[in-house]
Short mmCIF file of all heavy atoms in Angstrom, two decimals:
data_model
loop_
_atom_site.label_atom_id
_atom_site.label_comp_id
_atom_site.label_asym_id
_atom_site.label_seq_id
_atom_site.Cartn_x
_atom_site.Cartn_y
_atom_site.Cartn_z
N LEU E 293 225.33 138.23 -73.59
CA LEU E 293 226.75 137.91 -73.61
C LEU E 293 227.59 138.98 -74.27
O LEU E 293 228.81 138.84 -74.36
CB LEU E 293 226.99 136.57 -74.33
CG LEU E 293 226.39 135.32 -73.69
CD1 LEU E 293 226.76 134.09 -74.51
CD2 LEU E 293 226.87 135.17 -72.25
N ALA E 294 226.97 140.04 -74.73
CA ALA E 294 227.66 141.04 -75.52
C ALA E 294 228.84 141.67 -74.80
O ALA E 294 229.82 142.06 -75.44
CB ALA E 294 226.68 142.12 -75.97
N SER E 295 228.77 141.79 -73.50
CA SER E 295 229.80 142.48 -72.74
C SER E 295 230.89 141.55 -72.20
O SER E 295 231.80 142.01 -71.51
CB SER E 295 229.18 143.25 -71.57
OG SER E 295 228.27 144.23 -72.04
N TYR E 296 230.81 140.28 -72.50
CA TYR E 296 231.73 139.30 -71.95
C TYR E 296 232.63 138.70 -73.01
O TYR E 296 232.20 138.44 -74.14
CB TYR E 296 230.97 138.15 -71.28
CG TYR E 296 230.18 138.56 -70.06
CD1 TYR E 296 228.89 139.06 -70.20
CD2 TYR E 296 230.71 138.43 -68.79
CE1 TYR E 296 228.15 139.43 -69.09
CE2 TYR E 296 229.98 138.79 -67.67
CZ TYR E 296 228.70 139.29 -67.83
OH TYR E 296 227.97 139.64 -66.72
N ALA E 297 233.87 138.47 -72.65
CA ALA E 297 234.71 137.58 -73.43
C ALA E 297 234.31 136.14 -73.11
O ALA E 297 233.99 135.83 -71.96
CB ALA E 297 236.18 137.80 -73.11
N ILE E 298 234.31 135.28 -74.10
CA ILE E 298 233.85 133.90 -73.94
C ILE E 298 234.96 132.93 -74.31
O ILE E 298 235.61 133.08 -75.34
CB ILE E 298 232.61 133.62 -74.79
CG1 ILE E 298 231.46 134.56 -74.40
CG2 ILE E 298 232.17 132.16 -74.63
CD1 ILE E 298 230.96 134.39 -72.98
N GLY E 299 235.15 131.95 -73.46
CA GLY E 299 236.11 130.90 -73.74
C GLY E 299 235.44 129.54 -73.80
O GLY E 299 234.42 129.30 -73.15
N TRP E 300 236.00 128.66 -74.61
CA TRP E 300 235.59 127.26 -74.66
C TRP E 300 236.69 126.41 -74.06
O TRP E 300 237.87 126.55 -74.42
CB TRP E 300 235.31 126.80 -76.09
CG TRP E 300 233.99 127.25 -76.64
CD1 TRP E 300 233.76 128.30 -77.45
CD2 TRP E 300 232.72 126.63 -76.41
NE1 TRP E 300 232.42 128.39 -77.75
CE2 TRP E 300 231.76 127.38 -77.13
CE3 TRP E 300 232.30 125.52 -75.67
CZ2 TRP E 300 230.41 127.05 -77.13
CZ3 TRP E 300 230.96 125.20 -75.67
CH2 TRP E 300 230.03 125.96 -76.39
N PHE E 301 236.32 125.52 -73.16
CA PHE E 301 237.23 124.61 -72.50
C PHE E 301 236.72 123.20 -72.65
O PHE E 301 235.54 122.98 -72.91
CB PHE E 301 237.39 124.97 -71.02
CG PHE E 301 238.04 126.30 -70.78
CD1 PHE E 301 237.32 127.48 -70.92
CD2 PHE E 301 239.38 126.39 -70.42
CE1 PHE E 301 237.91 128.72 -70.71
CE2 PHE E 301 239.99 127.61 -70.19
CZ PHE E 301 239.25 128.77 -70.34
N ARG E 302 237.60 122.25 -72.46
CA ARG E 302 237.18 120.86 -72.51
C ARG E 302 237.92 120.06 -71.46
O ARG E 302 239.03 120.39 -71.06
CB ARG E 302 237.40 120.25 -73.90
CG ARG E 302 238.86 120.16 -74.34
CD ARG E 302 238.94 119.71 -75.78
NE ARG E 302 240.31 119.61 -76.25
CZ ARG E 302 240.66 119.34 -77.51
NH1 ARG E 302 239.71 119.15 -78.43
NH2 ARG E 302 241.94 119.26 -77.85
N GLN E 303 237.29 118.99 -71.03
CA GLN E 303 237.89 118.11 -70.04
C GLN E 303 237.57 116.67 -70.38
O GLN E 303 236.41 116.27 -70.41
CB GLN E 303 237.40 118.44 -68.63
CG GLN E 303 238.14 117.70 -67.54
CD GLN E 303 237.92 118.30 -66.17
OE1 GLN E 303 236.90 118.97 -65.94
NE2 GLN E 303 238.84 118.08 -65.26
N ALA E 304 238.61 115.91 -70.66
CA ALA E 304 238.48 114.49 -70.92
C ALA E 304 238.64 113.73 -69.62
O ALA E 304 239.26 114.22 -68.66
CB ALA E 304 239.52 114.04 -71.94
N PRO E 305 238.12 112.50 -69.54
CA PRO E 305 238.23 111.72 -68.31
C PRO E 305 239.68 111.57 -67.87
O PRO E 305 240.55 111.19 -68.65
CB PRO E 305 237.63 110.37 -68.70
CG PRO E 305 236.66 110.70 -69.79
CD PRO E 305 237.32 111.81 -70.56
N GLY E 306 239.95 111.88 -66.61
CA GLY E 306 241.28 111.73 -66.06
C GLY E 306 242.26 112.81 -66.44
O GLY E 306 243.44 112.72 -66.07
N LYS E 307 241.81 113.82 -67.17
CA LYS E 307 242.70 114.88 -67.61
C LYS E 307 242.26 116.23 -67.04
O LYS E 307 241.12 116.41 -66.63
CB LYS E 307 242.75 114.95 -69.13
CG LYS E 307 243.35 113.72 -69.79
CD LYS E 307 243.48 113.91 -71.29
CE LYS E 307 244.13 112.70 -71.94
NZ LYS E 307 244.27 112.89 -73.41
N GLU E 308 243.19 117.16 -67.05
CA GLU E 308 242.91 118.50 -66.57
C GLU E 308 242.09 119.28 -67.60
O GLU E 308 242.10 118.98 -68.79
CB GLU E 308 244.21 119.24 -66.27
CG GLU E 308 245.04 118.65 -65.14
CD GLU E 308 244.35 118.79 -63.80
OE1 GLU E 308 243.69 119.82 -63.57
OE2 GLU E 308 244.46 117.87 -62.98
N ARG E 309 241.40 120.28 -67.12
CA ARG E 309 240.63 121.17 -67.98
C ARG E 309 241.58 121.90 -68.92
O ARG E 309 242.61 122.44 -68.50
CB ARG E 309 239.83 122.14 -67.11
CG ARG E 309 238.93 123.08 -67.85
CD ARG E 309 237.96 123.77 -66.90
NE ARG E 309 238.46 123.85 -65.55
CZ ARG E 309 237.80 124.37 -64.53
NH1 ARG E 309 236.59 124.86 -64.70
NH2 ARG E 309 238.35 124.39 -63.32
N GLU E 310 241.24 121.95 -70.20
CA GLU E 310 242.09 122.52 -71.23
C GLU E 310 241.37 123.64 -71.96
O GLU E 310 240.22 123.48 -72.38
CB GLU E 310 242.50 121.44 -72.23
CG GLU E 310 243.32 121.95 -73.40
CD GLU E 310 243.55 120.91 -74.47
OE1 GLU E 310 242.64 120.06 -74.67
OE2 GLU E 310 244.63 120.90 -75.07
N GLY E 311 242.04 124.76 -72.13
CA GLY E 311 241.49 125.83 -72.92
C GLY E 311 241.55 125.50 -74.40
O GLY E 311 242.60 125.12 -74.91
N VAL E 312 240.45 125.66 -75.11
CA VAL E 312 240.35 125.32 -76.51
C VAL E 312 240.37 126.56 -77.39
O VAL E 312 241.14 126.65 -78.36
CB VAL E 312 239.07 124.50 -76.80
CG1 VAL E 312 238.96 124.19 -78.29
CG2 VAL E 312 239.07 123.22 -75.98
N SER E 313 239.52 127.51 -77.07
CA SER E 313 239.42 128.72 -77.88
C SER E 313 238.75 129.81 -77.06
O SER E 313 238.07 129.54 -76.08
CB SER E 313 238.61 128.44 -79.16
OG SER E 313 238.58 129.58 -80.00
N CYS E 314 238.93 131.05 -77.48
CA CYS E 314 238.28 132.16 -76.82
C CYS E 314 238.05 133.27 -77.82
O CYS E 314 238.70 133.34 -78.86
CB CYS E 314 239.09 132.66 -75.61
SG CYS E 314 240.76 133.21 -76.00
N ILE E 315 237.11 134.15 -77.48
CA ILE E 315 236.79 135.28 -78.33
C ILE E 315 236.46 136.48 -77.46
O ILE E 315 235.75 136.36 -76.46
CB ILE E 315 235.62 134.94 -79.29
CG1 ILE E 315 235.39 136.06 -80.29
CG2 ILE E 315 234.34 134.63 -78.51
CD1 ILE E 315 234.46 135.66 -81.44
N GLY E 316 237.00 137.62 -77.82
CA GLY E 316 236.75 138.83 -77.09
C GLY E 316 235.35 139.37 -77.36
O GLY E 316 234.67 138.96 -78.29
N SER E 317 234.93 140.31 -76.53
CA SER E 317 233.60 140.88 -76.66
C SER E 317 233.37 141.53 -78.02
O SER E 317 232.27 141.47 -78.57
CB SER E 317 233.35 141.90 -75.55
OG SER E 317 232.08 142.52 -75.68
N PHE E 318 234.41 142.15 -78.55
CA PHE E 318 234.28 142.84 -79.82
C PHE E 318 234.33 141.88 -81.01
O PHE E 318 234.05 142.28 -82.14
CB PHE E 318 235.38 143.89 -79.97
CG PHE E 318 235.37 144.91 -78.87
CD1 PHE E 318 236.48 145.07 -78.05
CD2 PHE E 318 234.26 145.70 -78.64
CE1 PHE E 318 236.48 146.01 -77.03
CE2 PHE E 318 234.24 146.64 -77.63
CZ PHE E 318 235.36 146.80 -76.82
N GLY E 319 234.71 140.64 -80.78
CA GLY E 319 234.76 139.64 -81.83
C GLY E 319 235.99 139.68 -82.70
O GLY E 319 236.13 138.84 -83.61
N ASP E 320 236.88 140.62 -82.47
CA ASP E 320 238.06 140.76 -83.31
C ASP E 320 239.30 140.10 -82.71
O ASP E 320 240.36 140.11 -83.35
CB ASP E 320 238.35 142.24 -83.59
CG ASP E 320 238.50 143.07 -82.32
OD1 ASP E 320 238.07 142.61 -81.25
OD2 ASP E 320 239.04 144.18 -82.41
N ILE E 321 239.19 139.57 -81.51
CA ILE E 321 240.30 138.89 -80.86
C ILE E 321 239.90 137.44 -80.63
O ILE E 321 238.91 137.17 -79.96
CB ILE E 321 240.67 139.56 -79.53
CG1 ILE E 321 241.07 141.02 -79.76
CG2 ILE E 321 241.80 138.80 -78.85
CD1 ILE E 321 241.33 141.78 -78.47
N THR E 322 240.66 136.53 -81.19
CA THR E 322 240.41 135.11 -80.98
C THR E 322 241.72 134.39 -80.73
O THR E 322 242.78 134.81 -81.21
CB THR E 322 239.71 134.46 -82.19
OG1 THR E 322 240.52 134.63 -83.36
CG2 THR E 322 238.35 135.09 -82.43
N ASN E 323 241.65 133.30 -79.99
CA ASN E 323 242.81 132.45 -79.74
C ASN E 323 242.38 131.00 -79.80
O ASN E 323 241.24 130.66 -79.50
CB ASN E 323 243.42 132.76 -78.37
CG ASN E 323 244.19 134.06 -78.34
OD1 ASN E 323 245.06 134.29 -79.18
ND2 ASN E 323 243.87 134.93 -77.38
N TYR E 324 243.33 130.14 -80.17
CA TYR E 324 243.08 128.71 -80.27
C TYR E 324 244.27 127.94 -79.71
O TYR E 324 245.43 128.34 -79.88
CB TYR E 324 242.88 128.26 -81.71
CG TYR E 324 241.71 128.91 -82.41
CD1 TYR E 324 241.87 130.09 -83.11
CD2 TYR E 324 240.45 128.31 -82.38
CE1 TYR E 324 240.80 130.69 -83.76
CE2 TYR E 324 239.38 128.90 -83.03
CZ TYR E 324 239.56 130.09 -83.72
OH TYR E 324 238.50 130.67 -84.37
N VAL E 325 243.99 126.85 -79.06
CA VAL E 325 245.05 125.96 -78.67
C VAL E 325 245.61 125.29 -79.94
O VAL E 325 244.87 125.09 -80.91
CB VAL E 325 244.54 124.90 -77.65
CG1 VAL E 325 243.56 123.94 -78.30
CG2 VAL E 325 245.70 124.15 -77.01
N ASP E 326 246.89 125.01 -79.95
CA ASP E 326 247.55 124.53 -81.16
C ASP E 326 246.88 123.30 -81.76
O ASP E 326 246.81 123.14 -82.98
CB ASP E 326 249.02 124.24 -80.89
CG ASP E 326 249.85 125.50 -80.72
OD1 ASP E 326 249.38 126.58 -81.11
OD2 ASP E 326 250.97 125.39 -80.20
N SER E 327 246.39 122.42 -80.92
CA SER E 327 245.85 121.15 -81.39
C SER E 327 244.56 121.29 -82.21
O SER E 327 244.17 120.35 -82.90
CB SER E 327 245.60 120.21 -80.21
OG SER E 327 244.66 120.75 -79.31
N VAL E 328 243.91 122.45 -82.16
CA VAL E 328 242.66 122.62 -82.90
C VAL E 328 242.76 123.68 -83.98
O VAL E 328 241.78 123.89 -84.72
CB VAL E 328 241.48 122.97 -81.96
CG1 VAL E 328 241.38 121.96 -80.82
CG2 VAL E 328 241.59 124.38 -81.42
N LYS E 329 243.89 124.32 -84.12
CA LYS E 329 244.05 125.35 -85.13
C LYS E 329 243.83 124.78 -86.53
O LYS E 329 244.35 123.73 -86.87
CB LYS E 329 245.44 125.99 -85.04
CG LYS E 329 245.63 126.88 -83.84
CD LYS E 329 247.02 127.51 -83.82
CE LYS E 329 247.18 128.46 -82.64
NZ LYS E 329 248.54 129.04 -82.57
#
């Protein structure tokens, strides 16, 4: 996985897929959806 950026998503019943968090390949770039910060 070293060369890939990785994202975490979640999907609750009846709801659309939601982006939760992500991290760049270098590990120095991260993002979070407001609800989990």
Side-chain angles (χ1 to χ4, degrees):
L293 296 182
S295 299
Y296 295 86
I298 301 297
W300 283 99
F301 295 78
R302 64 187 180 185
Q303 188 164 25
K307 296 185 178 181
E308 295 293 324
R309 183 167 26 182
E310 176 188 33
V312 178
S313 184
C314 58
I315 186 168
S317 177
F318 303 120
D320 56 342
I321 301 175
T322 59
N323 286 307
Y324 300 90
V325 67
D326 287 344
S327 61
V328 308
K329 288 182 178 178

